[in-house]
Amino acid sequence: MSLTSFLRAPLGRGLAALLLVALALLLDLWQRPPAPAVAQALFPAGAQGVDASLLKPVAAGKIPMPEGALAAHASNLLAMPVGHAAALTAFWFAGDRESAPNVQIAASQFDRATQRWLPARYVVDRHTMGAQLDFGLRRLGNPVAWLDASGRVHLFVVATGWGGWAAGRILHLVQSSADNTLDKLVLVPDRVLPLSWLWNISFLVRNVPLPLADGGMILPVHFEIGKKYPVALRFDRQGEFLGMVRMSRRPYLLQPTLLAQTPSQWTALMRDHRPDGHITAVQTLDSGRHWSDLPDLALVNPDAAVSGMALSPGQMVLTHNSSPHARNLLDLSRSTDAVHWTLLQPLAHGGTDDEYSYPAVAWADGSLWVSYTDHRRSIAWQRFGAGGKP
Amino acid sequence: MSGYLSLWSQLGTDAAPALPVGWVMRLGLSLGWALVLALLGAALTYRLPLALRRALALALALWTLVPGQKSPDYWLGLAFHAPSLSAMLVSLWLLRRLLFPVPIVSWRRSVAVANGWWLMAAVGLGYALLLDAFALLPVQIYSWGFSPALLLGLMALSLLPWVLRGKTTVAAGPEIWVAPLALLMFAATRLPSGNLWDALLDPWLWSALHIASLRALYQRWRR
């Protein structure tokens, strides 16, 4: 029997179709990594932890700007490993103004020996990244950094196509240099994260990931155009993308920040896009597989970014703008349950025309570090230690 | 029992995605836009002599394959990323039709058969994915595209017409193989993004299918 006559019979076609299906499945499974285990959150200050109510200011100042940069915004702090020359690396975007063609991602490190920030340098520019990706990037913004299990720096930035921030995509960059001290740090693009069918546009990143016990992390992101809703992305210990889960369908929630109550119970607090907004919340009880909406917090939110972290079980801190219609008051609050918050320390209080916004937090060298945008011109920082000691 | 559970987690939505490697993504992006632009060039100049149209299509494809900012795929990638594998296969099929013409009877017959339920299904799928992008559905359809179970189901579904109708569908022409071939290519290359939906349908192809669906409906109404 020839192949043609075999395929003319229904049974022959059925067998051929089965073979094709099996071939597709084998090709797929051959390339696929093993399914991940259930995610378990880690606490940066360890299970014994610290008493957040004892945190007092230790030091403060401005992070040096790259030469010639007129504007700075959206800083992010990365705690460096013990033994590294730097305690922290700060990333932010800088240039003539937000969304200007010359905006690049700048970085500086807090040197452990001198207890000072090193002069800033640019580490990501859109032209170099475009050449390496072989397609263009129009604007850059909102860097978010993470260290994988091998100590490599990963940087997630918003990179826009045609359109404004709402046409943004999340570009994943990975350290390619052997050394990640500031002068040697080199980042190369890995990929634009595949998050949406609509030309993959309108996903943005802002806040730090939630570290996991397996060395991986959960990266909180949000969809921006029209409806604004939060999504949690999971990555493995090497920074490979493991999947995405929508956290809510409410259309006004953006820039989630993740706080763990236990290894499997997490709360995400978010910026509220509604007028007269309050900080909004969603919660998972099963390590991020399913999320449910919580009532809004009592804290007001003037459509401004918030940033928080759980230092240890029951010890949470949150940085947030606390006036209803402006970003002139920036505070640090603490909580034991992520729902009820108490003012711990005012970070920056100004007049109605002042702006202190887009805070970021990190835990390093036994201290809480906060950075934020100061009038869109520079990045300010503050350090808090237990009892006011570094 | 644990073996079955492990197999299920490997096939279901708990499965870890397999994403394309960097050089394959860059190659897919350039090749995809080269095929689409060659098709556009050939289709928009259908009144010109055949030799000229072939030269134009070839020139457009070669221009797109040039790396860097001087290539159109650098800017098309900026706005729209890469075309789907289905769009690449449809472009290849139509390029063959336009640049190496076959008798008009065969063209009409194949278009008539290709239209119908499959077109409607593809258009409906696009609407579902669009609604999902705006979180207007209670389920998360796009994230299913990372699961091997979806590949398994869609591969079987796309081969069903050929298995059931055999001779009739074979006579219809190669377009009946677009979906199975796109799925098989996705399984092998993970292009364009590692998500199956991106391989099967992109927003531009979806827009074009609206026109093809309306045409199919009109033809059916006239019969």
Side-chain angles (χ1 to χ4, degrees):
Chain A
M1 183 189 277
S2 71
L3 183 65
T4 318
S5 57
F6 176 72
L7 291 177
R8 275 194 188 133
L11 184 64
R13 289 195 302 275
L15 285 173
L18 267 180
L19 273 176
L20 282 173
V21 171
L23 175 65
L25 191 64
L26 280 176
L27 281 169
D28 184 285
L29 294 180
W30 174 57
Q31 299 177 74
R32 205 172 277 273
V38 174
Q40 298 286 293
L42 270 188
F43 296 92
Q48 306 306 318
V50 291
D51 183 348
S53 66
L54 298 178
L55 292 173
K56 304 284 180 209
V58 173
K62 297 271 183 73
I63 299 177
M65 290 277 282
E67 202 172 324
L70 302 174
H73 195 34
S75 61
N76 190 265
L77 298 174
L78 175 67
M80 302 306 284
V82 176
H84 195 280
L88 286 169
T89 304
F91 295 90
W92 67 97
F93 71 80
D96 284 350
R97 58 182 162 74
E98 183 175 343
S99 278
N102 70 345
V103 162
Q104 301 177 59
I105 305 299
S108 176
Q109 287 185 332
F110 189 83
D111 186 52
R112 281 192 166 116
T114 61
Q115 295 289 296
R116 289 177 182 276
W117 289 93
L118 300 176
R121 64 170 278 245
Y122 289 115
V123 290
V124 181
D125 83 86
R126 66 190 180 96
H127 299 294
T128 309
M129 294 302 117
Q132 290 173 350
L133 287 162
D134 211 14
F135 63 84
L137 306 173
R138 197 171 160 269
R139 300 290 183 262
L140 293 176
N142 290 16
V144 171
W146 175 66
L147 276 183
D148 70 17
S150 311
R152 283 187 311 169
V153 175
H154 293 246
L155 195 68
F156 300 87
V157 301
V158 177
T160 67
W162 280 341
W165 290 125
R169 302 180 177 110
I170 300 174
L171 174 63
H172 179 189
L173 304 140
V174 186
Q175 173 192 327
S176 64
S177 51
D179 193 340
N180 56 24
T181 50
L182 186 63
D183 56 338
K184 297 196 174 98
L185 178 63
V186 178
L187 295 158
V188 292
D190 181 49
R191 71 183 68 248
V192 171
L193 297 178
L195 304 177
S196 158
W197 176 74
L198 193 65
W199 295 305
N200 200 16
I201 60 165
S202 216
F203 271 96
L204 284 77
V205 65
R206 165 61 200 137
N207 276 315
V208 290
L210 178 72
L212 299 178
D214 65 6
M217 56 93 165
I218 304 290
L219 181 67
V221 303
H222 73 274
F223 184 81
E224 173 95 0
I225 194 168
K227 288 188 74 167
K228 300 173 196 319
Y229 63 87
V231 171
L233 312 180
R234 186 171 174 190
F235 291 80
D236 71 8
R237 56 190 284 113
Q238 295 304 323
E240 295 296 329
F241 177 65
L242 290 178
M244 57 192 292
V245 177
R246 190 189 297 150
M247 297 156 77
S248 175
R249 289 177 59 212
R250 284 188 287 171
Y252 47 82
L253 312 182
L254 64 160
Q255 298 175 340
T257 184
L258 292 171
L259 306 159
Q261 280 91 69
T262 70
S264 58
Q265 180 186 340
W266 319 330
T267 299
L269 302 181
M270 285 152 294
R271 171 177 172 177
D272 187 347
H273 189 58
R274 294 171 299 180
D276 303 314
H278 286 72
I279 292 175
T280 51
V282 294
Q283 188 183 50
T284 177
L285 302 173
D286 59 2
S287 300
R289 287 174 164 226
H290 304 90
W291 293 82
S292 52
D293 291 333
L294 292 179
D296 296 346
L297 302 189
L299 300 175
V300 297
N301 182 252
D303 194 5
V306 300
S307 181
M309 72 181 346
L311 305 173
S312 53
Q315 297 294 331
M316 283 161 261
V317 290
L318 181 72
T319 48
H320 57 102
N321 288 106
S322 48
S323 51
H325 301 294
R327 295 176 177 180
N328 60 326
L329 308 178
L330 188 66
D331 287 332
L332 173 66
S333 297
R334 66 180 175 86
S335 172
T336 54
D337 59 6
V339 175
H340 304 93
W341 292 87
T342 310
L343 180 67
L344 183 62
Q345 185 76 36
L347 291 172
H349 282 195
T352 49
D353 292 336
D354 292 318
E355 180 181 328
Y356 309 102
S357 60
Y358 271 61
V361 293
W363 182 263
D365 288 358
S367 300
L368 176 73
W369 302 73
V370 179
S371 68
Y372 53 90
T373 302
D374 186 338
H375 293 89
R376 305 255 177 162
R377 289 193 295 269
S378 59
I379 304 298
W381 67 278
Q382 297 188 27
R383 181 178 183 178
F384 296 85
K389 294 176 186 168
Chain B
M1 185 67 182
S2 66
Y4 286 114
L5 285 176
S6 167
L7 180 66
W8 176 247
S9 66
Q10 194 65 26
L11 287 178
T13 49
D14 287 344
L19 305 185
V21 293
W23 70 268
V24 174
M25 270 194 300
R26 288 191 288 278
L27 183 69
L29 182 122
S30 293
L31 204 60
W33 286 118
L35 287 170
V36 171
L37 288 184
L39 173 65
L40 280 175
L44 292 173
T45 56
Y46 67 98
R47 287 180 192 279
L48 295 180
L50 187 59
L52 204 57
R53 288 161 61 201
R54 284 178 179 167
L56 179 74
L58 184 66
L60 276 169
L62 290 176
W63 179 31
T64 311
L65 292 174
V66 172
Q69 290 192 31
K70 289 181 178 159
S71 168
D73 72 326
Y74 184 88
W75 303 103
L76 288 165
L78 177 148
F80 310 118
H81 271 197
S84 61
L85 294 174
S86 297
M88 290 165 70
L89 290 167
V90 168
S91 298
L92 257 181
W93 171 58
L94 291 177
L95 273 170
R96 183 184 158 273
R97 291 278 185 185
L98 287 167
L99 301 181
F100 303 92
V102 291
I104 195 73
V105 175
S106 170
W107 163 265
R108 279 184 179 163
R109 184 180 60 192
S110 63
V111 169
V113 177
N115 290 336
W117 293 111
W118 284 105
L119 279 178
M120 302 296 174
V123 170
L125 172 65
Y127 278 108
L129 287 165
L130 187 67
L131 291 174
D132 177 52
F134 288 94
L136 294 170
L137 298 177
V139 289
Q140 299 169 63
I141 298 175
Y142 185 77
S143 63
W144 296 349
F146 295 115
S147 149
L150 186 75
L151 174 71
L152 192 70
L154 286 182
M155 190 74 190
L157 193 67
S158 67
L159 287 166
L160 208 56
W162 176 67
V163 173
L164 294 179
R165 295 172 62 190
K167 208 173 171 181
T168 328
T169 45
V170 170
E175 70 277 8
I176 200 77
W177 290 99
V178 165
L181 270 179
L183 292 168
L184 202 56
M185 285 167 64
F186 169 75
T189 65
R190 323 308 298 173
L191 285 172
S193 68
N195 188 292
L196 186 148
W197 298 123
D198 293 330
L200 204 57
L201 187 69
D202 61 69
W204 282 125
L205 178 63
W206 177 62
S207 306
L209 289 179
H210 278 79
I211 299 166
S213 303
L214 289 173
R215 188 174 157 175
L217 279 175
Y218 177 68
Q219 282 177 348
R220 183 165 292 209
W221 173 74
R222 280 192 67 184
R223 280 205 302 272

